[in-house]
Amino acid sequence: MKYKLDWLEKKETKVGPKFNATITDEKGATFEGVTLWLKDWSDAIPGMEVEGELTIKENGQYTNKTLYRNKTYSQWKPKPKADMTKLVEMKDANITKQVDRKEDSIKMAGSIRDAVSIVVAKMQHRELSNEEIELQITLWVKKILNLHEQPFI
């Protein structure tokens, strides 16, 4: 049905901005206190003629009147369907990356643990400075990581 927007007042609510409006239908009936949600009626101005559906709901002592814009085919946009093969490939690639990173993390943590154990054992025979400890740990980590890359014989 067609309505004329006689009066509009913008209000902020908890659920979003809206217009309180007075509208007149084609037959001349006037409705006051009608809600127009701003997301549907952002282009509304007083005096404008619009098409919509007026819903009136009784809620105890209150009467809620809301004008909803008629949906046309051009306003309706279907959701694009996901390309499942692409999603599965992407998921497989991400899982492979995570597994590789986890394996690398385990190798690195084990190498550091072993290098620290070796350096602590060396420190029992002679005292090392902080720089020597750091250098020894770094060298042993590199050696141990290189051993991980070689096949076990």
Side-chain angles (χ1 to χ4, degrees):
M1 182 174 247
K2 289 190 179 189
Y3 296 93
K4 182 179 178 191
L5 305 177
D6 298 324
W7 175 82
L8 294 173
E9 176 186 23
K10 187 175 180 181
K11 293 262 182 171
E12 292 293 327
T13 67
K14 291 179 184 177
V15 292
K18 70 173 188 170
F19 286 118
N20 281 340
T22 301
I23 61 173
T24 306
D25 68 7
E26 295 171 319
K27 299 173 186 169
T30 301
F31 301 92
E32 293 183 0
V34 178
T35 298
L36 282 78
W37 291 105
L38 196 62
K39 63 181 174 126
D40 296 329
W41 299 98
S42 59
D43 59 342
I45 56 172
M48 182 177 184
E49 286 196 7
V50 296
E51 280 197 45
E53 183 181 337
L54 181 64
T55 58
I56 300 173
K57 293 183 183 175
E58 296 290 329
N59 187 5
Q61 62 184 0
Y62 299 105
T63 301
N64 297 324
K65 296 174 253 182
T66 306
L67 182 64
Y68 294 101
R69 181 167 261 169
N70 286 342
K71 295 276 184 190
T72 61
Y73 183 72
S74 63
Q75 291 173 322
W76 180 77
K77 296 176 184 165
K79 292 183 180 179
K81 292 185 179 179
D83 184 7
M84 290 306 290
T85 56
K86 204 182 271 187
L87 287 174
V88 170
E89 288 172 2
M90 200 165 67
K91 187 175 179 180
D92 287 344
N94 287 339
I95 290 172
T96 304
K97 283 181 193 174
Q98 287 177 339
V99 168
D100 291 344
R101 288 180 185 155
K102 184 177 180 182
E103 289 173 359
D104 291 343
S105 297
I106 292 169
K107 286 178 188 176
M108 180 60 78
S111 300
I112 292 170
R113 181 201 60 226
D114 293 345
V116 169
S117 296
I118 291 169
V119 172
V120 167
K122 279 186 166 190
M123 289 172 62
Q124 290 177 352
H125 300 291
R126 72 178 182 105
E127 196 171 316
L128 299 174
S129 68
N130 287 342
E131 291 82 20
E132 287 177 314
I133 293 171
E134 227 177 278
L135 181 65
Q136 287 290 316
I137 290 175
T138 305
L139 291 173
W140 277 107
V141 166
K142 288 181 182 177
K143 282 182 185 179
I144 294 168
L145 282 176
N146 286 337
L147 291 176
H148 281 297
E149 301 300 321
Q150 297 175 1
F152 184 73
I153 299 175

